[in-house]
Amino acid sequence: MSEDIRKILDGVQRGSVSVDDALLQLKTKPFEDIGYAKVDMHRKLRQGVAEVIYGAGKTPEQIMGIIDVMKKNGQKTILITRLSAESAERVREKHPMEYYAEARCGVIGEIPKADGLGKIVVATGGTSDVPVAEEAAVTAMVLGNEVVRLYDVGVAGLHRTLAHLEDIMNANVIIAIAGMEGALASVIGGLADCPVIAVPTSVGYGASFGGLSALLSMLNSCASGVSVVNIDNGFGAGYLASMINHPKNVEK
Amino acid sequence: MSEDIRKILDGVQRGSVSVDDALLQLKTKPFEDIGYAKVDMHRKLRQGVAEVIYGAGKTPEQIMGIIDVMKKNGQKTILITRLSAESAERVREKHPMEYYAEARCGVIGEIPKADGLGKIVVATGGTSDVPVAEEAAVTAMVLGNEVVRLYDVGVAGLHRTLAHLEDIMNANVIIAIAGMEGALASVIGGLADCPVIAVPTSVGYGASFGGLSALLSMLNSCASGVSVVNIDNGFGAGYLASMINHPKNVEK
Amino acid sequence: MSEDIRKILDGVQRGSVSVDDALLQLKTKPFEDIGYAKVDMHRKLRQGVAEVIYGAGKTPEQIMGIIDVMKKNGQKTILITRLSAESAERVREKHPMEYYAEARCGVIGEIPKADGLGKIVVATGGTSDVPVAEEAAVTAMVLGNEVVRLYDVGVAGLHRTLAHLEDIMNANVIIAIAGMEGALASVIGGLADCPVIAVPTSVGYGASFGGLSALLSMLNSCASGVSVVNIDNGFGAGYLASMINHPKNVEK
Amino acid sequence: MSEDIRKILDGVQRGSVSVDDALLQLKTKPFEDIGYAKVDMHRKLRQGVAEVIYGAGKTPEQIMGIIDVMKKNGQKTILITRLSAESAERVREKHPMEYYAEARCGVIGEIPKADGLGKIVVATGGTSDVPVAEEAAVTAMVLGNEVVRLYDVGVAGLHRTLAHLEDIMNANVIIAIAGMEGALASVIGGLADCPVIAVPTSVGYGASFGGLSALLSMLNSCASGVSVVNIDNGFGAGYLASMINHPKNVEK
Amino acid sequence: MSEDIRKILDGVQRGSVSVDDALLQLKTKPFEDIGYAKVDMHRKLRQGVAEVIYGAGKTPEQIMGIIDVMKKNGQKTILITRLSAESAERVREKHPMEYYAEARCGVIGEIPKADGLGKIVVATGGTSDVPVAEEAAVTAMVLGNEVVRLYDVGVAGLHRTLAHLEDIMNANVIIAIAGMEGALASVIGGLADCPVIAVPTSVGYGASFGGLSALLSMLNSCASGVSVVNIDNGFGAGYLASMINHPKNVEK
Amino acid sequence: MSEDIRKILDGVQRGSVSVDDALLQLKTKPFEDIGYAKVDMHRKLRQGVAEVIYGAGKTPEQIMGIIDVMKKNGQKTILITRLSAESAERVREKHPMEYYAEARCGVIGEIPKADGLGKIVVATGGTSDVPVAEEAAVTAMVLGNEVVRLYDVGVAGLHRTLAHLEDIMNANVIIAIAGMEGALASVIGGLADCPVIAVPTSVGYGASFGGLSALLSMLNSCASGVSVVNIDNGFGAGYLASMINHPKNVEK
Amino acid sequence: MSEDIRKILDGVQRGSVSVDDALLQLKTKPFEDIGYAKVDMHRKLRQGVAEVIYGAGKTPEQIMGIIDVMKKNGQKTILITRLSAESAERVREKHPMEYYAEARCGVIGEIPKADGLGKIVVATGGTSDVPVAEEAAVTAMVLGNEVVRLYDVGVAGLHRTLAHLEDIMNANVIIAIAGMEGALASVIGGLADCPVIAVPTSVGYGASFGGLSALLSMLNSCASGVSVVNIDNGFGAGYLASMINHPKNVEK
Amino acid sequence: MSEDIRKILDGVQRGSVSVDDALLQLKTKPFEDIGYAKVDMHRKLRQGVAEVIYGAGKTPEQIMGIIDVMKKNGQKTILITRLSAESAERVREKHPMEYYAEARCGVIGEIPKADGLGKIVVATGGTSDVPVAEEAAVTAMVLGNEVVRLYDVGVAGLHRTLAHLEDIMNANVIIAIAGMEGALASVIGGLADCPVIAVPTSVGYGASFGGLSALLSMLNSCASGVSVVNIDNGFGAGYLASMINHPKNVEK
């Protein structure tokens, strides 16, 4: 943004931009207001990613409206998260879209070729954590990453975890997803030599308190290199994993 | 106690016990009141264990008073838990006593020969959990058990846990003690084929919230055969482990 | 598992197993992957119990698929917990199964003859705790235990608790199940001379906070020999009780 | 207060009280302002009790100032709660006062003769709860009640509770004081046929969370006739017990 | 119960009761077991009240079964709380019953003439608290009390509270029911000179956290003479109020 | 109210009002009791605002009954909050009313001309916070304020916040509404030089715990001039903003 | 800030400011960096108040360093909050300063003449809340407000609250400060017709949980016009009250 | 570790390693047991970092013992965290060590040349967060990273944050450290295009609840690319940042 300010100021100095226009540009340029949402047009430039629409709490009409603006602005690939099957059907009437039912994600446009530094491993403690894992996996794929899925490798059956030691050792980033006691993050964190993003899930009952147990467990992980995102936040984990897998200063 | 009632009633029927005496016995017999505490004289018979004095919040004088009553009633071995070094010194002036500093336990009388079914493994996630572990270990020893200590085998260095697989597989009861994320209980619970008593500790900082994180984690363990006692309750774990290791109906 | 490693290594030394095969076996042998779940084939050997399927969150089709694999591997008795009546009906179309409606458990195959050391008492504070108690009782029965049910013996009517003193005194393990204030565990813990597994239930309203009140109460029990499992975790209590009732080193 | 308004209005109507004076009286009469506290002179009339000074957070000087005003207004008996031994010594230099060290209460003037309907039983689960119990007991005594103390009768040793069945059955009000799991309130509530005031204490460690465990347990008591006051609030329990023991409409 | 024991012991001494019978009586007499519930036949004698059935979680059939046993044992008046309109209709087909829809209570038999010491005031902060208040009021009426209802007198409109000052001053017991911030208990507690039973309700939203806010507020009331029951526990408050209004040692 | 008392007392002194009438007036005048609610007729005088009916938990019939009383007493503008679309339809059959669907508010009578000191800015972090914002906006408008809406200006896209710097700098009061991490209040609080009323919303999932996260965040705001109302309490914020925008001692 | 940007842009257009200088000014101008703190020199202009130093966690040396910078920049009046008596003494050796011990605030320079619209009432529930109240009062005075103190007017003695009705009715802003159950805010909120800023305090014990009880109570206040600041945040309340008492668009 | 297994198996196949030796190696090789701690010698190979000693709860003697073993095994650079000044002095008597007082870290050996992909920015909201920030900064430096410190740039003074826009935009990883409301993470997360590691601190009072407020705020950040570590966990953040800044598959 620093550069943007400089450019506008340069224009003002050269006289090609009036003061009022400059003021206006500084304030209003980066997004388009379509009433129910401010569609953010600068985000891709700023953060280097495909556009994402958070579908929860939006009507199919609102989602389609945002897609329209994005396409009009030249966006190729669009990811819609937390998209119900019903809404997906509505959206598909107007826009061709791949719908990933378990991940509850829709993808418009091509999934790009994987161009990250290495592989992203998505591991879950149990079968019930898979929807969150799929949200993470689809997000990472849409953002140009190769994904390895290791599902149902919870630590109560340690041999199942260890059977995938090679994948764990070779990963560039690992997303460890678990409900209940959330121990998966610590065990994988102790085995791996790459960043581990822990995602607590709301899977469980009783004293799991909607994911609080796994969340606290993961925050207290005694393994180094582990950080945590919100409960059930598969998207956030996939997005961050892709960022780590695409560092800025690397020539490819 | 059912048998006690029957005996007293038999006495009443035979005329050897008056009604009022019977009523009195039913109510007052099992303990001796020494003002600041009701010393429980029937507990050993009832629960088959050496006497235990919970030292926290008691003055050395009160502790010595209770010891006097216990000895007078023929108690051989007495365990005093949560006993500070200062109080221990005071008590030792009057009663010969072995003081286990790390466990903060004093033992009066002989530690009995181990006569349980098998071994009790006491494992900790880290070095800071050792005081709780020692309280458990001393308790189990005083109650007649062989104890195997596995300290600092936390899951973030899984090879350290696995290095003791044989001890874990051979144990009759395991006490798994950990603060922070408390994952040790799940990993051991998944490896062992015996009951695992999980003890959360208050070791940690920040989101460990005084042991709450480990407590919730252990309660949500997806490994079967795991149960939990109060935070830092080494004594309770040792006591329960001994009970499991000395089942009622086994001839020796 | 230590023995398994040794056997494979012996094979490698003798030349009967190649290094790559050994590596593979070490990693992949103990379970069969059927896509949506890793069916654990070694668990029975390792922990000495009939197979258990946790039914919550699984479709009838998934459950039947797991049953197929288990049967193919020679499993005789299978317990399915948290199984809804609707799912049970579907499963029964393909596999003969006894359905325990109150426990919400299905049992495939014979319930084995009780061969534990003694009796397991399952006690509840109130009538509403019975479903959790039945889950515990059916689990214990499937694992080869004689079960004594003491329902609705809550401490607010102490005579009801005391009326069963003989059962409590004779038990080898007691499962104390209660919601609300959870005092049952302490009272039974004070009377019994065997391990007490406390199960808090989510029965209650207001300040019971979904079982938190009973959970905290049981964790703080001043009776020795009491440990706690997760809220509503009848299966876990039944499983642990069976483990305690079938110690390793006892000849029968 | 309704009668007070009527009297003042009568005065206004008769002309003996001016409107401005009436307004003033309605607003300012019932207390005396000594700067750091508004000493409430009407409370005794309004609520029928001796004056009480809550000592916590007040300097000895402030306490003595309040005593002066109270004495000047004819107050005979004054109870000072949460009074440290040091402050007590200071106060005693000026005012003769009985100091109850364990209760941390001072009493100025005579303790009145017990004139309630019956006895107030003060029971504790353990020895560590005694300071709270003594605060309750001294309060009740100062307010004219006969108090029966039953200390260390916790439910983990049920025979100790039952040994005092007669006292429990004969009480007019019972104050049940316990930390840890707080089960005492339920057990006594189930045995007694009079109101039970439950006082959770901060005694305990780990998952007792400073009295929260006992508090929740007591609020969820399944025994009828039980109500709860704040953690460690011995004074509040003693005050309420006295109120119940001195009902308004009873001739003596 | 002490007297019961004595009578049985007298019988044993006189030879009119055999030891085995005595043992049996001591254990089994006070209730009748009908499978799904232990109907408590001694409770009325012991606590002096009409029988109460807690309807929540019971089928109409179970409720009717309990009613049958109670009637067979001579019970005249039966209160059923937490009874849905649908269940009430079913029960009424077999037993004549008055149904109080707002209180969700059914009453079988006559409501007795009020015979307490004085009046019980039931006050609520708002209109939404009325169902809890009606449960309290109906309970108190069934137990023989005159009830004065003061609804919607919350402290944010203090004149509405003060308009009922006379009722508040004349009450023998007050039940103060409020959700949200629960300040009603403190204000009434400061005005009244009788015991105040505070009932927090789950009325509210956001930071009321299901009644937690009102609960904590009431527990911390700085007014003396206030105690608290569980959130929404109208029955408990009505029952306790009646107990206070019917002290043991008063001749009428 | 002080003046009211004086007037009534004046009447008593002059003899135009009897003592009993005065007493009655002091107590009963300010509201009208229509059974299910006490309609507060003095509130407008006392607090200078149009009447408000809190619609949640009230039937359309009850709402219409209250409207009738209010109109009979001369009330011109009535705001009904938390009014469902269904209830609105029913009310509209009898009373002409504007229904604001997103705000879930109905307005009877004219919205008054804005006569406050300046503008009230209503800002939200996201699109999902808009219903709460509309409740605040409609409330402020009904109470005579000019409202500027800044929706979806959350801090994760700081340029969107800064684009409205001029509105923020010119506001007289700002209502900052956000769920999730609630950072909007701090950022706006740091930019603005007027009071900021923060409204946490229940928008979010996982560790937002129903608005708790935003609530705590806003309470801890390091920006001066920020205060907080209950989660989702749009009405409260609008009402308070209007109060601040209409100070008492300002001539217009 | 919008105007600042415009001015700099004007300079750039006129050629009097280079692009690089403009960029620099936009970024670095508003504060002075003295190593351990960024002293904010533009704040007074931006928010119209005297400078404030938050003293907690700062050494006397750091505080004096900040004072030096402020004075150098022409600041006349400086308020230092959370200043211990020891630090105050140190500061006073170098800078003349008035120290308000109970408020734990130091004031350098003159307290300005009160020039707000009206009076700010600072009310407390009890005596222990006074330090928080004094922090609020001194803050408000330093910012140019007339303050009326009403201390120890808690609602459990309602006559004490009502005795100050006139002050409450005449206030322009009220700061209601209370610990324990925090009911003061609701009662004052119901009586007053001006904004009420509620300050929960950490005064209390047991279930007050360090101010949580009062905080929740105040957030749930059913009185309109009440908002809440952080526990013990007297400064924040005084600052906000002054802001409300000095609205922007009022000529004086 | 997979490769390690293969190597050992190869040795077994070639006959150069006996089966028993292989078994032993698989289990015990990777660490050295010095009684009070298992010093982990394989960690550097496995995770590519200098050795770290967590100093909290260790005596200077224990720390020195661990240093001895590490040096003996050829470790060059050793970082000791949570090291008090007193312990540091003791350690320095034996081992030359640089002590960073504010970070409470000791460094033995050379700090390596920065060889990561880019810069790590360490930003704090306030001055009180600096100790946590220094722990993160020293950790990152010891692990070979260039660190840029941006302290006291909290969002309530947004211009201070924006003044460092260029540093924020150029960073490869950002560590955002804040207590109170923790909004810094969201604002920086919205501005930056690199991973942001959020560290909540326990700085604050009242409703900050020891860092809980900042923790929840950060977990709920609506900015993508943000993850969270434990409260006050500067080391964990520095370690993870270094890992991200040193990806595996990058040639340098």
Side-chain angles (χ1 to χ4, degrees), chain C residues 39-88:
Chain C
V39 183
D40 195 329
M41 285 304 115
H42 278 203
R43 198 169 166 194
K44 189 182 143 198
L45 294 175
R46 208 178 61 245
Q47 303 200 336
V49 303
E51 285 297 341
V52 181
I53 302 171
Y54 180 69
K58 297 208 175 70
T59 63
E61 285 67 33
Q62 290 178 320
I63 292 171
M64 287 187 283
I66 299 175
I67 293 171
D68 285 340
V69 177
M70 286 180 169
K71 283 190 162 174
K72 203 180 63 189
N73 280 276
Q75 185 66 34
K76 294 266 164 51
T77 306
I78 301 170
L79 169 67
I80 306 134
T81 63
R82 309 260 160 135
L83 182 70
S84 69
E86 296 73 35
S87 293

Side-chain angles (χ1 to χ4, degrees), chain D residues 151-203:
Chain D
Y151 291 171
D152 197 18
V153 297
V155 299
L158 202 57
H159 53 289
R160 299 186 303 191
T161 322
L162 296 178
H164 299 284
L165 202 49
E166 204 150 340
D167 286 323
I168 292 170
M169 297 303 291
N170 288 342
N172 240 48
V173 192
I174 300 178
I175 300 174
I177 301 171
M180 313 283 288
E181 89 274 59
L184 186 69
S186 288
V187 169
I188 287 187
L191 294 171
D193 60 349
C194 69
V196 174
I197 304 168
V199 189
T201 71
S202 54
V203 168

Side-chain angles (χ1 to χ4, degrees), chain F residues 146-189:
Chain F
E146 184 181 348
V147 171
V148 178
R149 286 162 172 88
L150 303 181
Y151 291 170
D152 197 17
V153 297
V155 299
L158 201 57
H159 53 287
R160 298 187 303 191
T161 321
L162 296 178
H164 299 285
L165 203 48
E166 205 150 340
D167 286 324
I168 292 170
M169 296 302 292
N170 289 341
N172 241 47
V173 193
I174 301 178
I175 299 173
I177 300 170
M180 314 282 289
E181 89 274 58
L184 187 67
S186 288
V187 170
I188 286 187

Side-chain angles (χ1 to χ4, degrees), chain H residues 27-91:
Chain H
K27 280 186 182 167
T28 61
K29 206 174 119 196
F31 56 83
E32 181 160 346
D33 196 325
I34 54 169
Y36 44 83
K38 299 198 170 16
V39 183
D40 195 330
M41 286 302 113
H42 278 203
R43 199 168 166 193
K44 189 183 141 198
L45 295 175
R46 207 176 64 244
Q47 305 198 336
V49 302
E51 284 299 338
V52 181
I53 302 171
Y54 179 70
K58 296 207 177 71
T59 64
E61 286 67 34
Q62 290 178 320
I63 292 170
M64 287 185 283
I66 299 176
I67 293 171
D68 285 340
V69 177
M70 286 179 167
K71 283 191 162 172
K72 204 182 62 191
N73 281 277
Q75 185 66 32
K76 293 267 166 51
T77 307
I78 301 170
L79 169 67
I80 307 135
T81 62
R82 310 257 161 139
L83 183 70
S84 69
E86 296 73 34
S87 293
E89 204 144 330
R90 291 288 310 280
V91 172

